[in-house]
Amino acid sequence: MTDAGTPLAIALTNCAKTFADGTKALEPLDLAIHAGETVVFLGPSGCGKTTTLRIIAGLEEPDAGGKVLFDGVDVTHLPIEQRNVGMVFQSYALFPNMTVAGNIGYGLKIRKVADAQVKARVSEMLAMMQITKLADRRIDQLSGGQRQRVALARAIAVRPRALLLDEPLTALDAKLRDTLRLEIDSLLRSLGITAIYVTHDQAEAMALGDRIVVMEHGRVAQIGKPREIYQRPATRFVAEFIGTMNRLTGAVKNGVFTCKAGSLAWSEAPANTTEILFRPEDIRVAEGHETTGLQGKVAAAFFLGDRTRLFVEVGEAQPLVIESTARRDFSHGDAVGLAIDPRGLLVL
Amino acid sequence: MRHEVRRLILLLLPAGIVFAAFFLLPMARLFLIGGSGKMGWAAYTAILTDDLYLSSLVSTFAVAAATTAATLVISGISGVFLQRHKFPGNAALVAMLTFPLAFPGVVIGFMVIMLAGRQGLIGQVTQALTGEKLVFAYTIAGLFMGYVYFSIPRTILTVMAAAEKLDPKLEEAARSLGASPWHVLRDVIIPGLKPAFISAGAICFATAVGAFGTAFTLAAKINVLPMVIYTEFTLSANIAMAAALSFVLGIVTWLVLAVARTAAGSSVAAAG
Ligand SMILES: Nc1ncnc2c1ncn2[C@@H]1O[C@H](COP(=O)(O)OP(=O)(O)OP(=O)(O)O)[C@@H](O)[C@H]1O
Ligand SMILES: [Mg+2]
């Protein structure tokens, strides 16, 4: 059996992908994935996440000039069966002609591992995924969550050098998704394996990724830790794709930003700022008789229990979104003063 | 509960009537006629004791089994290939592969003669190469060739339809686990095509058992059941014997198909 100890470092250099029908799925792309980290590919549908993952897996070859390196070794032309990477698909892709145990042990059988060892490893995996009772079930007798557990166990059983997961939870309902996401997270951490996780769900990306690669139209828009991506998005696309962004348009003069809703002192404002961006948690409704430079009118208020989500009209194209924890009622048309924490301001 | 049962009976009624009218009753009648001849019920034992009958029975099912096996192998490979590789002319080729279906058995027999008969292509080529003329059109081998030719089209079409439904992700999953192309074939593609193989194989087998036109055209040395039945019926006017043979032909075919289906079904369940 292959060595499970050292996780794999993966590098893509200059990897573009043009499909046979002329579709340009990826622009030339460079990417370095460190040994043992969990990297999440995040982006809207059709941005090339799956294609990149398939190039790493060995299911697609990059266009001429592109290279895939595993621990510095060129594997660009090595087919997937020789790369020893585990794959988990959205559709599970379990073998219908085998039982749960048969599925999990398949990779070991192919490697001609002795029966006793296969059995031992299969029971280990079954116990790890808490599906020991399902060992002899047929695949069509499993629920979606159970299938995904089997798929994970099958991929891990052979001790792959890296684990590649393409939207593994998308087919499951929200509650199960949360549970399994936690399980996958602790699984990846305990294995210490290099993992690449594709999703278009930003909450999933934030929760799982050591780093997130945000993709847009076959390009990498930004790579960074979840916090960096959220707080310091590199482009407007990233800023708007992840989380909610508020926007005010106006101009800066002498350290004061002025817009239709009023003005805001911001000493570090770049000179020719015409638009500022900030997250809902960086703006709040002024309390009592606190005076603020910005005013707006409540367009809609949704009481969510722990907070109220407000949409405040400030004369811009979009109302501002504010998460208010104030213990008061808001109703349509209320005039409110607004305070923004300058540390959360972004210019892109 | 009672209501359920009544509804079920009602729904099954049309099928039941057709089954009775076109299957059970004729078979029962055939069975009775088989025992009504000069020999009485001994007609049935004669099938097993008489050399001519027994050997024709054996060779009929042997050639049908061989035809089914050869057809499944050839069509399996070409069906998957044609479905996977779209090249210019693919559609035309598939359409062309289908046309033997339109030929009556006589025409197929004639084609076998043109290929493997005394003046046939194979004969001429082998004579030029070895000095011996290879002629097998009028033997069981010729019949086998004709049946395979006739069975390939529908089997290929069935396989292609099934191959289209195979989930490519299954193959990718197997490969990611280290499966070679051969492993993928054995563990993913063939199991995936199994239902298609079973149904196409059953049709192929049953058709080969009963095919008459081809056997009739190639008549010379061939002794298969449909020919024997024909001879008993028309030449010897031994209607009882013909009926007995027909009954046995039907029953054995049914048995073989039922056994094959059960075996295939249980091997699916035991494959884990
Ligand atoms: N085999 C193919 N042939 C042609 N074009 C393809 C092929 N596979 C993908 N594409 C195209 O390449 C682009 C990127 O596809 P990809 O599957 O990588 O997107 P994705 O980011 O995974 O999207 P999703 O979130 O919907 O899965 C898309 O425009 C897609 O239509
Ligand atoms: Mg995808």
Side-chain angles (χ1 to χ4, degrees):
Chain A
M1 219 180 291
T2 48
D3 168 29
T6 48
L8 176 73
I10 300 170
L12 300 183
T13 56
N14 200 27
C15 281
K17 180 71 191 177
T18 312
F19 283 106
D21 64 356
T23 311
K24 196 143 179 55
L26 283 184
E27 303 291 335
L29 174 137
D30 293 297
L31 191 62
I33 293 159
H34 313 315
E37 75 173 334
T38 302
V39 166
V40 176
F41 291 175
L42 177 66
S45 186
C47 69
K49 307 180 293 288
T50 298
T51 307
T52 314
L53 194 78
R54 288 171 64 86
I55 289 176
I56 294 171
L59 289 167
E60 305 281 0
E61 276 194 25
D63 295 350
K67 263 192 193 162
V68 182
L69 305 175
F70 279 13
D71 279 340
V73 179
D74 188 344
V75 294
T76 315
H77 305 292
L78 203 64
I80 181 170
E81 54 266 34
Q82 288 164 32
R83 289 196 190 185
N84 195 18
V85 291
M87 289 208 81
V88 178
F89 300 90
Q90 179 182 335
S91 58
Y92 322 118
L94 296 172
F95 308 125
N97 51 320
M98 301 177 197
T99 60
V100 166
N103 267 276
I104 298 175
Y106 182 75
L108 299 169
K109 272 204 184 131
I110 290 287
R111 286 166 168 74
K112 301 219 159 53
V113 174
D115 280 357
Q117 267 173 285
V118 174
K119 236 180 163 171
R121 180 70 175 157
V122 168
S123 353
E124 189 187 334
M125 298 315 303
L126 287 167
M128 185 169 165
M129 301 308 298
Q130 298 160 12
I131 46 174
T132 304
K133 281 193 193 135
L134 307 179
D136 298 318
R137 289 265 189 98
R138 282 202 326 264
I139 300 309
D140 58 12
Q141 299 167 323
L142 302 180
S143 71
Q146 291 169 335
R147 286 180 204 205
Q148 201 51 287
R149 284 199 178 87
V150 177
L152 273 164
R154 180 181 68 176
I156 295 167
V158 295
R159 302 181 208 276
R161 304 178 72 192
L163 195 57
L164 312 178
L165 309 106
D166 194 350
E167 309 211 19
L169 305 183
T170 307
L172 305 174
D173 64 64
K175 196 147 180 220
L176 193 53
R177 208 151 59 209
D178 287 344
T179 324
L180 263 174
R181 186 216 285 160
L182 282 175
E183 279 180 33
I184 291 180
D185 189 47
S186 64
L187 183 72
L188 295 178
R189 310 242 162 254
S190 68
L191 292 173
I193 194 174
T194 308
I196 304 177
Y197 190 104
V198 167
T199 181
H200 55 244
D201 178 339
Q202 43 156 317
E204 221 166 273
M206 294 281 175
L208 282 172
D210 292 322
R211 287 194 301 155
I212 297 176
V213 177
V214 185
M215 298 186 66
E216 178 193 15
H217 295 314
R219 266 179 256 248
V220 173
Q222 187 174 3
I223 305 179
K225 297 205 170 78
R227 188 172 288 279
E228 288 167 15
I229 301 265
Y230 187 78
Q231 294 180 339
R232 294 281 153 229
T235 65
R236 286 185 70 111
F237 167 78
V238 177
E240 276 160 12
F241 184 72
I242 294 175
T244 310
M245 255 316 166
N246 285 314
R247 190 188 310 177
L248 289 172
T249 51
V252 166
K253 209 172 175 187
N254 303 327
V256 175
F257 178 83
T258 314
C259 58
K260 284 186 187 142
S263 59
L264 167 73
W266 188 22
S267 51
E268 292 149 51
N272 46 5
T273 302
T274 56
E275 182 188 56
I276 57 170
L277 302 168
F278 52 93
R279 300 281 183 196
E281 58 270 27
D282 291 318
I283 180 168
R284 61 184 178 81
V285 175
E287 287 170 43
H289 299 288
E290 185 185 356
T291 48
T292 55
L294 295 168
Q295 259 77 42
K297 267 201 168 73
V298 174
F302 301 98
F303 179 60
L304 302 174
D306 55 340
R307 64 208 144 93
T308 309
R309 178 170 299 152
L310 298 173
F311 291 83
V312 177
E313 194 54 63
V314 285
E316 304 282 336
Q318 298 284 329
L320 299 180
V321 180
I322 302 174
E323 307 282 348
S324 169
T325 51
R327 293 178 173 275
R328 57 164 279 196
D329 268 337
F330 292 97
S331 48
H332 180 82
D334 285 0
V336 286
L338 303 167
I340 299 177
D341 183 348
R343 286 172 301 178
L345 290 178
L346 291 170
V347 174
L348 288 170
Chain B
M1 209 41 225
R2 277 222 12 236
H3 198 73
E4 276 287 286
V5 172
R6 253 219 320 263
R7 215 172 61 127
L8 208 65
I9 290 174
L10 213 68
L11 285 173
L12 279 175
L13 204 60
I17 291 171
V18 171
F19 184 65
F22 293 99
F23 190 81
L24 278 188
L25 294 180
M27 277 308 266
R29 191 98 180 93
L30 216 50
F31 179 69
L32 292 179
I33 296 175
S36 69
K38 284 193 289 277
M39 301 163 75
W41 296 108
Y44 285 100
T45 45
I47 294 173
L48 294 177
T49 51
D50 186 309
D51 262 357
L52 173 79
Y53 297 146
L54 187 63
S55 75
S56 77
L57 192 70
V58 169
S59 54
T60 301
F61 286 101
V63 78
T67 303
T68 308
T71 306
L72 287 183
V73 170
I74 298 171
S75 317
I77 296 170
S78 26
V80 172
F81 178 86
L82 285 171
Q83 205 281 318
R84 297 263 160 118
H85 303 269
K86 296 291 177 210
F87 46 85
N90 183 298
L93 183 64
V94 172
M96 207 159 87
L97 278 169
T98 325
F99 79 75
L101 278 179
F103 290 152
V106 183
V107 177
I108 292 179
F110 185 58
M111 287 168 101
V112 172
I113 292 174
M114 288 197 296
L115 193 65
R118 276 178 275 278
Q119 304 303 321
L121 187 67
I122 294 178
Q124 284 168 12
V125 171
T126 48
Q127 182 148 48
L129 289 178
T130 63
E132 287 277 335
K133 198 181 224 178
L134 183 62
V135 175
F136 60 84
Y138 315 102
T139 67
I140 266 296
L143 197 61
F144 166 75
M145 206 169 80
Y147 286 178
V148 170
Y149 174 73
F150 178 74
S151 302
I152 281 176
R154 69 177 106 213
T155 313
I156 285 194
L157 293 182
T158 313
V159 169
M160 281 181 71
E164 200 174 335
K165 292 213 187 75
L166 288 179
D167 180 2
K169 291 270 178 291
L170 281 183
E171 286 170 46
E172 293 176 352
R175 291 179 61 199
S176 77
L177 293 165
S180 64
W182 152 247
H183 286 132
V184 171
L185 181 72
R186 186 194 63 186
D187 301 326
V188 177
I189 298 180
I190 291 181
L193 294 179
K194 197 164 183 171
F197 280 151
I198 291 172
S199 57
I203 292 175
C204 179
F205 184 82
T207 315
V209 166
F212 175 72
T214 314
F216 190 68
T217 316
L218 301 174
K221 300 172 205 155
I222 305 169
N223 175 26
V224 285
L225 263 188
M227 288 297 292
V228 177
I229 293 172
Y230 174 78
T231 316
E232 291 295 337
F233 190 66
T234 56
L235 304 183
S236 326
N238 188 349
I239 291 169
M241 197 62 226
L245 285 167
S246 308
F247 180 78
V248 169
L249 179 84
I251 290 296
V252 175
T253 306
W254 173 72
L255 265 178
V256 168
L257 293 182
V259 167
R261 231 169 234 283
T262 322
S266 62
S267 80
V268 170

